[in-house]
Amino acid sequence: MSGYNTGYDRGVVLRGLRLLGRSIRDEPATFAVGALGSVLFAVMTVASAYVIGAVVGDVAVPAIEAGRVPAGALALGGAAILGVSVLKIVGILGRRLGAGAMQYRLQARYRRAVTQRYLDLPMSWHQRHPTGTLLSNANNDVESAFMPIAPFPFAVGTVTMLVTAIVALLVTDWVLALVGVAVFPTVFVINVVYSRRSAPLQAAAQRLRGEVAAVAHESFDGALVVKTAGREAAETARFAVVSDQLRDASIAAGRIRGLFDPLMDALPNVGTLAVLVVGSVRLAAGDLTVPQLVSAAFLFSVLAFPVRAIGWVLGDLPRAVAGADRVDGVLAAEGEMAHGTAELPGTGAVELEFDRVRFGYGDGADVLTDVSFTVPAGRTVALVGATGAGKSTLTQLAARLVDPADGTVRLAGRDVRDLSAAALASTVALVPQVPFVFDDTVHGNVALDRPGVGADDAAAALRLAQADRFVAALPDSADTPVGERGASLSGGQRQRVTLARGLAGRPRLLILDDATSAVDPRVEQAILAGLRTTGTDTTVLVVAYRRATIALADEVVYLVDGRVAARGPHRELLATVPGYAELVTAYEDAGDEMAEEVAG
């Protein structure tokens, strides 16, 4: 078990109880329904002990001795048992409905909270956390955190049963009460031992569930690479390592739980047996009557309910605490990108300005250093540079997916950090290098249910993105489902759909991060030419590689190692900057070779 030690806090029970207290504060009404139903069930269970004792002692035994059954007494006894049973049913319904509603409402509440926190956190935070782990936080961890809620109202209600039963035992016979009460210290000792051994195993298992989800998600997401590179065996082995670790941790935790549950179930039965033995001796001595012994034995047998209910809650606490810790870790994560309240007045293209910008990822070296240039409103500027020069980072800064360490990024003269989230979303559209297509129709992917983006806007955007012809050829045109990640579309088609998505919102700044790399060069030129002729109200910042694409730009910014090495018209840079000319020529030669390979 030491192999799974996760620095377990021995106060897991107290932390678990605080988690339950937080749950009550979050859902007081549903908890009240479940607890009141459980209290009613508990009271009626204790009452049934006296009813059954009275029926046995005052009706059944005299009837056996007299050889006849009084009809009135039998009817009265039956009515009493029926009435208690009906009230117990009402209590069970209230308990289960309240507990179920409480559990599912809490899970929904915290899943929404975790998801909202994901949306608030910046891209830099997401880049440090695997997608599978994030999915596990929002699903498995939330579910585990509120697993004890199902038996919790029952356990709270059965405290009433416990107190009532002990008082009733004391009233019936104090000796039998002492025999019964002696069981409860054993219950808590067993639970302390169980919690100390189980909690680190549960925490390790909860962490490993996230790792399994992360590896699985990565393998499924990269299925194309796995298949084409023949990595099936390696990926299977990689998944087997973490899944085997999860299996071992879960089995170890299950082994401890497997010892705990039978002990918790056996204790009330041992107590009942002790009560019967002691009670029989006292009955023979004349210190007890038959109805008292029957009632006492039944009372102690019903104590199995509260003991089991409390055991269920306590048994689930270690895993709940582990899940809640991981959920709270997400909710408390720092790095939220706060937005301002400023809006951008007017309509039409906006000016984009980088003013002495410096940026680096995490604790690594700077990717951009003292970058300054302006993209005038309504103009097209191409970013050109070798791999790693900082082109994609500039596009992320322009869309405010990240903030600079130093310097300022401005839109229409306003610091982007002062703008509201709505102002940014309505002003800027980023079309990334790797297109993402939802499992929806073409129209759904382009419109995204955005206000003001109707069918005509989506159709116009598809035409401008040179996607209207292939969309028209689909079985249901723009209403055709495209599958997960656009599985039914080619790479170029996916890029054109995502480009149309960016255009449909009529952005004032359009950022293209090599967004047409999978498109035929002639189609790419048609798209960019269309943007120049019909997109006069749009400023365009484009990461470009092809010479024909670069030539369409009004100006080129040439980046070398995160710095602006040169800027100006394409022809001028070709003639005056050897490094730029060499790079563009290399890109063109590589493109020609690729075209020849495709043609061959």
Side-chain angles (χ1 to χ4, degrees):
M1 289 185 291
S2 60
Y4 302 105
N5 197 330
T6 59
Y8 163 62
D9 177 4
R10 292 192 176 187
V12 64
V13 175
L14 292 178
R15 294 166 60 206
L17 293 177
R18 286 196 292 269
L19 174 62
L20 294 176
R22 186 174 76 183
S23 302
I24 294 173
R25 291 192 298 274
D26 287 342
E27 287 292 331
T30 51
F31 170 75
V33 171
L36 288 174
S38 183
V39 168
L40 177 60
F41 172 78
V43 171
M44 288 302 103
T45 300
V46 173
S48 66
Y50 283 96
V51 170
I52 291 173
V55 169
V56 171
D58 298 333
V59 178
V61 172
I64 293 172
E65 292 175 349
R68 63 183 184 84
V69 180
L74 182 61
L76 182 61
I81 292 174
L82 181 61
V84 168
S85 300
V86 169
L87 290 175
K88 285 174 69 175
I89 290 172
V90 172
I92 290 171
L93 288 174
R95 183 190 79 212
R96 292 185 174 178
L97 290 175
M102 182 181 182
Q103 183 180 37
Y104 297 134
R105 285 169 67 92
L106 283 167
Q107 289 177 352
R109 179 195 301 265
Y110 279 87
R111 282 195 177 103
R112 288 194 295 266
V114 168
T115 303
Q116 184 60 53
R117 190 62 187 153
Y118 287 161
L119 296 175
D120 292 337
L121 289 165
M123 285 297 297
S124 57
W125 186 89
H126 285 273
Q127 289 163 354
R128 298 193 303 269
H129 296 82
T131 302
T133 299
L134 302 185
L135 291 173
S136 182
N137 291 151
N139 187 26
N140 292 335
D141 292 335
V142 170
E143 185 173 322
S144 296
F146 299 106
M147 187 174 294
I149 296 301
F152 181 46
F154 185 26
V156 171
T158 52
V159 170
T160 304
M161 182 192 297
L162 194 64
V163 173
T164 306
I166 291 174
V167 171
L169 276 171
L170 286 169
V171 171
T172 301
D173 187 82
W174 67 271
V175 176
L176 296 182
L178 290 178
V179 173
V181 171
V183 171
F184 294 102
T186 309
V187 170
F188 291 105
V189 168
I190 291 174
N191 180 72
V192 169
V193 174
Y194 166 74
S195 296
R196 289 183 176 179
R197 292 181 175 273
S198 176
L201 301 176
Q202 296 288 4
Q206 204 66 20
R207 172 181 56 80
L208 288 165
R209 286 186 183 92
E211 292 184 12
V212 167
V215 173
H217 182 272
E218 188 175 49
S219 296
F220 299 154
D221 208 31
L224 179 61
V225 176
V226 173
K227 289 289 187 182
T228 55
R231 294 282 300 170
E232 293 92 341
E235 285 300 299
T236 300
R238 188 164 73 103
F239 184 76
V241 170
V242 291
S243 59
D244 286 350
Q245 291 174 348
L246 175 58
R247 176 202 62 199
D248 294 342
S250 299
I251 289 175
R255 187 180 295 118
I256 300 296
R257 185 67 183 263
L259 292 172
F260 173 75
D261 285 345
L263 284 174
M264 294 296 284
D265 284 342
L267 281 174
N269 297 328
V270 172
T272 302
L273 181 60
V275 166
L276 287 173
V277 171
V278 175
S280 298
V281 173
R282 291 179 60 75
L283 179 65
D287 296 327
L288 275 180
T289 64
V290 171
Q292 287 177 321
L293 177 58
V294 172
S295 295
F298 188 83
L299 277 171
F300 200 84
S301 68
V302 301
L303 289 179
F305 286 103
V307 170
R308 288 192 182 105
I310 293 171
W312 293 331
V313 174
L314 295 177
D316 285 335
L317 282 186
R319 183 175 176 183
V321 169
D325 283 347
R326 290 165 61 84
V327 171
D328 290 341
V330 173
L331 297 180
E334 297 180 353
E336 181 175 356
M337 187 177 287
H339 290 279
T341 58
E343 303 293 328
L344 285 178
T347 58
V350 294
E351 179 183 86
L352 171 66
E353 179 187 1
F354 293 91
D355 184 8
R356 293 174 294 179
V357 167
R358 180 178 69 84
F359 180 82
Y361 291 98
D363 297 328
D366 287 346
V367 177
L368 299 173
T369 305
D370 196 29
V371 172
S372 296
F373 68 91
T374 299
V375 183
R379 307 300 292 274
T380 298
V381 170
L383 294 175
V384 178
T387 301
K391 304 182 296 297
S392 293
T393 301
L394 280 172
T395 66
Q396 293 184 43
L397 286 163
R400 215 206 159 194
L401 295 179
V402 294
D403 282 333
D406 288 315
T408 308
V409 181
R410 299 186 183 93
L411 281 176
R414 299 296 299 265
D415 189 329
V416 293
R417 288 170 288 203
D418 296 333
L419 299 176
S420 68
L424 275 170
S426 62
T427 303
V428 182
L430 169 63
V431 185
Q433 183 176 13
V434 179
F436 182 86
V437 180
F438 294 96
D439 187 5
D440 198 350
T441 64
V442 173
H443 173 79
N445 269 284
V446 173
L448 291 182
D449 289 330
R450 287 173 287 182
V453 180
D456 292 340
D457 300 296
L462 287 168
R463 284 195 299 273
L464 189 55
Q466 301 293 307
D468 52 326
R469 291 186 179 178
F470 85 77
V471 170
L474 296 174
D476 295 311
S477 299
D479 293 324
T480 302
V482 296
E484 185 177 3
R485 291 182 175 269
S488 64
L489 303 177
S490 69
Q493 289 172 337
R494 286 196 293 272
Q495 281 196 332
R496 279 179 276 176
V497 168
T498 55
L499 176 58
R501 177 193 299 158
L503 294 169
R506 296 182 294 277
R508 302 167 70 179
L509 170 63
L510 179 64
I511 304 168
L512 305 177
D513 184 7
D514 194 24
T516 54
S517 59
V519 174
D520 182 274
R522 290 173 297 179
V523 175
E524 181 187 40
Q525 290 182 50
I527 292 172
L528 295 177
L531 290 175
R532 287 177 61 86
T533 56
T534 64
T536 54
D537 286 339
T538 302
T539 303
V540 180
L541 179 66
V542 55
V543 174
Y545 292 92
R546 293 169 177 164
R547 183 184 293 225
T549 304
I550 299 170
L552 290 173
D554 298 301
E555 186 179 27
V556 175
V557 174
Y558 174 47
L559 296 170
V560 177
D561 296 330
R563 296 177 181 270
V564 177
R567 54 180 298 190
H570 170 61
R571 291 183 180 274
E572 179 181 314
L573 295 185
L574 276 178
T576 60
V577 182
Y580 176 78
E582 182 180 350
L583 180 66
V584 172
T585 301
Y587 282 151
E588 187 172 28
D589 291 344
D592 291 342
E593 289 178 9
M594 185 177 296
E596 289 176 4
E597 290 178 5
V598 172

